[in-house]
Amino acid sequence: MEGIGIGAQLVPAWDIFGAIVAHKALAAFALGQELLSHNVSHGKFWVSMVVFSAMTPLGVGVGWLLTTTSNENATESVTSGVGTALAGGT
């Protein structure tokens, strides 16, 4: 969800990007530790980590597509507001 918030921004959002990178790094570490503590196979471990890591960039792309393909005035974009609101809940 946080990727959609970045993608839906009308201006570059480097401060949000930095916060998400910090949060994602800690969440990835916690996920990795949890998977290792449950003796998950190496293949499943790496698939889980790749899927987890790919979700934010995928969300950025979805948010960007939704914002750029809407016919709304860019300064009053409901799509941007909804994307940011969804990301705020994560």
Side-chain angles (χ1 to χ4, degrees):
M1 286 292 192
E2 64 267 0
I4 293 174
I6 290 179
Q9 293 298 310
L10 302 174
V11 295
W14 292 108
D15 52 345
I16 297 171
F17 176 76
I20 289 173
V21 167
H23 176 263
K24 195 76 166 182
L26 294 172
F29 179 78
L31 174 63
Q33 287 296 320
E34 193 65 26
L35 291 172
L36 290 175
S37 72
H38 289 286
N39 297 320
V40 174
S41 69
H42 287 288
K44 288 181 181 179
F45 173 85
W46 286 110
V47 167
S48 298
M49 295 305 282
V50 167
V51 168
F52 179 78
S53 299
M55 289 300 106
T56 297
L58 182 64
V60 170
V62 168
W64 178 78
L65 281 174
L66 290 174
T67 303
T68 58
T69 58
S70 69
N71 293 329
E72 300 170 305
N73 181 358
T75 59
E76 298 174 358
S77 174
V78 173
T79 308
S80 176
V82 170
T84 304
L86 286 173
T90 59

